[in-house]
Amino acid sequence: MFQGASAINLDAKGRMSIPAKHRDALALQCEGRLTLTRHPHGCLLLFPRPVWETHRDQIAAWPMSARAWQRIFLGNACDVEMDSAGRALISPELRAAVGLEKEVMMLGMGSHFEIWDAAKLAADEASAVAGGMPDVLSNFSF
């Protein structure tokens, strides 16, 4: 179960250092084999490969009416591997698709991660808070 936020700087080649707190778990869970894909909310999704393969099979089975959504998720999927320094290369196409520059945030979302441009995530979160809590969460409490 992945959780927590990590501020990361991409290097000049577009590589992202996987935080140490997740690196060992990813090495054990998937031997550092990862899959990146685009999300329509403006971030990237980073999956351990076995988790992605389950999602990939489900997405591939969607009906023709969901073809545009298949293109977003499957058409942008890119298999990557952590290098010996615990870094993953984010392709120029994926970086451009979601506007990743240098400062990114990696958010643990349970079975996978979201990777956001840091400024875009801050704006998105501010907008969500300003919009108020959705009705589905009206009975939620800590």
Side-chain angles (χ1 to χ4, degrees), residues 19 34 60 67 70 76 88 100 138:
L34 309 168
R67 180 62 80 194
Q70 285 176 317
N76 288 287
L100 293 184
S138 63

Side-chain angles (χ1 to χ4, degrees), residues 1-2 26 29 46-48 51-52 55 108-113:
M1 195 69 158
F2 303 111
L26 288 169
Q29 183 178 354
L46 176 67
F47 292 92
V51 174
W52 168 250
H55 289 294
M109 300 296 290
S111 65
H112 65 283
F113 299 92

Side-chain angles (χ1 to χ4, degrees), residues 14 22 28 33 41 48 59 63 65-66 72 90 100 108 115 122 125 137:
H22 301 304
L28 286 173
R33 298 177 13 232
H41 288 163
I59 295 166
S65 59
I72 292 170
I90 302 174
L100 293 184
I115 301 169
E125 288 179 346
L137 299 180

Side-chain angles (χ1 to χ4, degrees), residues 29-51:
Q29 183 178 354
C30 61
E31 299 172 340
R33 298 177 13 232
L34 309 168
T35 299
L36 282 160
T37 194
R38 186 174 157 205
H39 192 281
H41 288 163
C43 67
L44 296 179
L45 301 175
L46 176 67
F47 292 92
R49 185 89 39 84
V51 174

Side-chain angles (χ1 to χ4, degrees), residues 133-142:
M133 194 169 287
D135 291 339
V136 71
L137 299 180
S138 63
N139 292 324
F140 178 78
S141 178
F142 281 105

Side-chain angles (χ1 to χ4, degrees), residues 5-130:
S6 300
I8 301 168
N9 287 323
L10 297 181
D11 70 12
K13 294 180 181 179
R15 293 177 298 196
M16 176 183 75
S17 289
I18 305 296
K21 64 184 175 184
H22 301 304
R23 193 177 305 147
D24 293 340
L26 288 169
L28 286 173
Q29 183 178 354
C30 61
E31 299 172 340
R33 298 177 13 232
L34 309 168
T35 299
L36 282 160
T37 194
R38 186 174 157 205
H39 192 281
H41 288 163
C43 67
L44 296 179
L45 301 175
L46 176 67
F47 292 92
R49 185 89 39 84
V51 174
W52 168 250
E53 289 169 351
T54 300
H55 289 294
R56 180 190 62 202
D57 293 343
Q58 293 171 343
I59 295 166
W62 290 350
M64 283 299 287
S65 59
R67 180 62 80 194
W69 291 96
Q70 285 176 317
R71 284 186 198 105
I72 292 170
F73 294 114
L74 294 179
N76 288 287
C78 180
D79 291 339
V80 298
E81 298 205 13
M82 282 193 309
D83 66 15
S84 60
R87 298 172 300 194
L89 176 65
I90 302 174
S91 72
E93 295 84 2
L94 286 176
R95 290 193 314 264
V98 299
L100 293 184
E101 296 291 331
K102 184 169 177 71
E103 296 179 5
V104 301
M105 292 295 293
M106 182 174 168
L107 306 175
M109 300 296 290
S111 65
H112 65 283
F113 299 92
E114 290 183 353
I115 301 169
W116 288 85
D117 173 76
K120 185 186 254 184
L121 176 62
D124 188 69
E125 288 179 346
S127 176
V129 170

